[in-house]
């Protein structure tokens, strides 16, 4: 398991999501992310924001608290999307090992905010944002999939971009 701090290596950016100061991932996962980055044009960068977050840590406790508040708010905002709560607010493997990561996109030096309101971004806004950056989003997803990453089945979580490393 590797511990990464805010950095840029071979085009891949690393920016831990607040309040985390570092990201833990498997060495093999980092290598495959670098492979995925190498398939992309220079103006398009992957930005790693989350990896392994042990359940019994201060960060794990913080994420659980945020999740609980988030679920309450999400249920209020989107009463018809109850069936998505698990997919969106589950730990999605981040508490298991360093093979579950969240990635963002940087296009021409600017981070693409596909979810400007996080998971609370209304689906219609999500569609609009994705349509605006469709080419970049599709390229990134293809290159990640090509390198052994599986994208999350939930559309909102997939924009996070949550993926699981599952080499075939
Ligand atoms: Zn995730």
């Amino acid at each position: 398991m590797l511990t990464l701090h805010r950095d840029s290596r071979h085009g891949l950016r690393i920016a831990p999501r607040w309040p985390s100061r570092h990201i833990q991932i498997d060495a093999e996962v980092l290598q495959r992310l670098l492979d995925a980055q190498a398939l992309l044009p220079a103006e398009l960068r992957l930005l790693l924001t989350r990896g392994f977050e042990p359940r019994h840590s201060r960060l794990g406790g913080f994420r659980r608290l945020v999740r609980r508040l988030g679920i309450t708010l999400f249920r209020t905002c989107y009463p018809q999307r109850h069936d998505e709560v698990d997919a969106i607010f589950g730990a999605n493997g981040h508490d298991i090992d360093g093979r579950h990561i969240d990635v963002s996109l940087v296009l021409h030096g600017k981070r693409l905010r596909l979810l400007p309101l996080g998971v609370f971004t209304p689906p219609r806004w999500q569609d609009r944002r994705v349509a605006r950056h469709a080419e970049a989003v599709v390229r990134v997803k293809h290159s990640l999939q090509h390198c052994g990453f599986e994208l999350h089945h939930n559309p909102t979580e997939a924009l996070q971009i949550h993926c699981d490393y599952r080499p075939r």
Side-chain angles (χ1 to χ4, degrees):
M1 185 88 82
L2 299 174
T3 299
L4 308 172
H5 294 270
R6 182 176 284 274
D7 190 11
S8 174
R9 50 172 90 186
H10 307 295
L12 172 72
R13 310 253 173 113
I14 297 155
R17 188 197 290 181
W18 187 87
S20 196
R21 308 284 293 276
H22 61 261
I23 299 172
Q24 290 182 286
I25 61 169
D26 272 24
E28 188 184 350
V29 173
L30 175 63
Q31 188 50 54
R32 298 304 277 156
L33 264 181
L34 290 170
D35 294 344
Q37 176 64 64
L39 294 174
L40 296 169
E43 71 272 14
L44 193 51
R45 304 281 178 195
L46 299 174
L47 182 134
L48 175 66
T49 60
R50 272 182 90 190
F52 175 57
E53 297 180 343
R55 194 185 301 249
H56 301 290
S57 64
R58 239 199 301 176
L59 179 63
F62 175 79
R63 296 275 193 242
R64 268 201 304 281
L65 175 69
V66 169
R67 219 174 283 145
R68 263 209 308 273
L69 296 172
I71 289 172
T72 306
L73 186 58
F74 191 85
R75 288 206 163 122
T76 311
C77 296
Y78 297 109
Q80 72 286 12
R81 292 174 70 194
H82 269 219
D83 51 335
E84 292 183 60
V85 165
D86 282 348
I88 292 178
F89 291 97
N92 284 321
H94 289 288
D95 57 343
I96 297 173
D97 59 32
R99 294 173 160 241
H100 311 272
I101 56 170
D102 289 358
V103 176
S104 255
L105 271 68
V106 175
L107 182 61
H108 297 293
K110 252 187 85 184
R111 184 164 174 181
L112 292 190
R113 303 275 176 189
L114 297 174
L115 297 172
L117 300 180
V119 298
F120 298 99
T121 309
R124 253 199 305 159
W125 293 19
Q126 297 180 24
D127 294 345
R128 222 184 301 153
R129 299 234 160 193
V130 170
R132 196 182 308 155
H133 302 292
E135 201 194 323
V137 172
V138 167
R139 286 191 93 141
V140 163
K141 291 189 169 176
H142 281 170
S143 100
L144 285 168
Q145 283 165 333
H146 185 79
C147 293
F149 293 95
E150 254 174 40
L151 296 162
H152 202 281
H153 59 85
N154 178 275
T156 297
E157 200 56 29
L159 290 184
Q160 195 87 276
I161 297 170
H162 178 93
C163 40
D164 307 303
Y165 182 58
R166 288 205 185 100
R168 265 145 279 170

